[in-house]
Amino acid sequence: MADISPIDVQKALKGAEYPASRDDLVSLAQNNGADDTLVQKLGDAPADRFDGPNEVQKAVFDNS
């Protein structure tokens, strides 16, 4: 996948319960079959914890 879209992030994190740790979201994304690039971006996110999907989106797309 060349570019990650917000919809890709939503699909990867389907079923997430917030607040959530970065590690929990990485694991969930892997279990949901997310692209490796997206999993990497989640793993590289600067925050250790996210209070909601908007924070995740911001971390993924500001960390490009």
Side-chain angles (χ1 to χ4, degrees), residues 17-29:
E17 294 184 19
Y18 297 94
S21 72
R22 178 181 51 222
D23 292 343
D24 287 344
L25 294 179
V26 167
S27 179
L28 179 61

Side-chain angles (χ1 to χ4, degrees), residues 3-64:
D3 293 321
I4 297 170
S5 75
I7 292 172
D8 295 326
V9 177
Q10 289 174 1
K11 287 179 182 177
L13 300 180
K14 182 178 180 181
E17 294 184 19
Y18 297 94
S21 72
R22 178 181 51 222
D23 292 343
D24 287 344
L25 294 179
V26 167
S27 179
L28 179 61
Q30 289 171 326
N31 290 338
N32 284 340
D35 182 88
D36 290 340
T37 303
L38 176 53
V39 172
Q40 177 81 35
K41 283 187 173 283
L42 282 170
D44 291 342
D48 291 329
R49 176 182 163 101
F50 298 93
D51 289 328
N54 289 341
E55 286 186 6
V56 177
Q57 295 275 352
K58 184 171 173 22
V60 167
F61 293 107
D62 288 353
N63 193 27
S64 297

